[in-house]
Amino acid sequence: MKKEEKTRRTCEKIIQAATVEFGMKSYETASLNTICSENNISKGLIYHNFQNKDELYLICVKRCYDELTSHMQKTVFESDNVRENLEKILKERQKFFEEYPHYKNIFFNSILLPPGHLIKKLQEIRSEYDNYLKRQYIDLVGEMNLRQGVSVERATQYLMTFQEMYNGYFRERYGENKDFETLVKTHETKLSELLDIMLYGIAVKDKGEE
């Protein structure tokens, strides 16, 4: 076996092992020692191929987002209903995570519990996925009868801003409740409901206000 192929296989074995470790724990609690002991990998071999835990973590996060984005880009929207198409986006994401449960934990940890010193790099990794969502929002909002003075661009920015505020709210909630699984479940359950409110509001105008 050529040296290059051996190195590639070694790196792949380490990345797969790290994906399982980061896919079960947060960045903080994941351990290189566990990766080594449970996969018969020496720590020296890890440091020979990767700089440190940060590099290995970021590679796992990037794979998660790359594969998720690739999956989402194959989504076919068969309805003209904006609400149904938003639901379709969420369901496709859930379908991906059902198939790749370790990526689910990596994804939500990178959003809800990001290590502070890696936030900028995580945002860069997320950019392609965020751009995909932005393009979908533009298409969906373009099908709506928008209020006077609200452009498609402005409405899309509202949705993207709402998304960040929503994630920020759940980051704060984790400080109150350490049950991460429940937090993620609530995040996904409430997102659909709040997107609906974001799009259609919570009150009907009185005749005098119209």
Side-chain angles (χ1 to χ4, degrees):
M1 185 186 300
K2 291 184 179 180
K3 182 179 179 180
E4 293 81 2
E5 177 62 16
K6 185 177 180 180
T7 299
R8 187 195 68 78
R9 291 189 180 187
T10 297
C11 288
E12 186 61 30
K13 179 181 179 181
I14 294 171
I15 292 169
Q16 289 296 330
T19 298
V20 173
E21 178 70 1
F22 289 119
M24 297 174 65
K25 304 173 185 176
S26 67
Y27 168 85
E28 297 295 339
T29 59
S31 166
L32 293 185
N33 288 331
T34 303
I35 293 173
C36 292
S37 63
E38 294 189 356
N39 297 276
N40 194 28
I41 298 171
S42 71
K43 188 172 284 188
L45 195 58
I46 289 181
Y47 283 113
H48 179 73
N49 291 280
F50 303 94
Q51 289 183 354
N52 48 35
K53 178 180 176 180
D54 285 357
E55 183 184 14
L56 199 49
Y57 172 70
L58 290 172
I59 288 171
C60 293
V61 173
K62 188 174 188 311
R63 282 202 176 187
C64 168
Y65 276 98
D66 285 350
E67 293 187 30
L68 172 60
T69 303
S70 177
H71 172 86
M72 298 297 290
Q73 287 172 338
K74 298 173 186 175
T75 302
V76 177
F77 297 98
E78 299 174 344
S79 172
D80 293 329
N81 184 282
V82 174
R83 189 71 187 81
E84 290 180 6
N85 286 334
L86 279 173
E87 287 284 353
K88 178 76 170 178
I89 291 174
L90 295 178
K91 287 179 180 177
E92 284 299 319
R93 190 169 78 180
Q94 290 168 357
K95 186 187 299 183
F96 175 82
F97 289 139
E98 286 171 4
E99 186 173 355
Y100 303 101
H102 288 130
Y103 280 155
K104 179 179 180 179
N105 191 66
I106 290 172
F107 175 85
F108 282 105
N109 266 285
S110 74
I111 291 176
L112 302 179
L113 298 176
H117 66 293
L118 295 177
I119 287 178
K120 185 174 180 180
K121 290 182 178 179
L122 289 171
Q123 289 173 339
E124 292 172 357
I125 289 173
R126 278 181 54 188
S127 62
E128 186 177 353
Y129 174 73
D130 285 341
N131 286 334
Y132 163 80
L133 286 182
K134 185 175 182 179
R135 290 192 298 271
Q136 295 307 315
Y137 289 157
I138 289 172
D139 290 344
L140 294 175
V141 169
E143 298 295 322
M144 298 182 69
N145 184 20
L146 298 175
R147 291 174 54 182
Q148 185 175 358
V150 178
S151 65
V152 170
E153 180 179 349
R154 187 177 177 186
T156 301
Q157 188 58 50
Y158 284 157
L159 286 171
M160 297 299 289
T161 301
F162 162 78
Q163 177 178 282
E164 287 305 307
M165 291 174 64
Y166 183 74
N167 291 335
Y169 167 77
F170 275 87
R171 279 193 289 272
E172 293 179 1
R173 286 288 299 275
Y174 180 73
E176 303 168 5
N177 183 352
K178 299 295 184 179
D179 185 349
F180 188 69
E181 281 298 317
T182 299
L183 190 72
V184 169
K185 186 176 180 180
T186 305
H187 179 283
E188 292 296 87
T189 302
K190 292 293 184 183
L191 180 56
S192 176
E193 175 186 335
L194 292 178
L195 276 172
D196 188 69
I197 291 174
M198 178 71 184
L199 289 172
Y200 301 111
I202 61 174
V204 177
K205 285 186 177 181
D206 293 333
K207 290 184 178 180
E209 296 176 324
E210 295 178 353

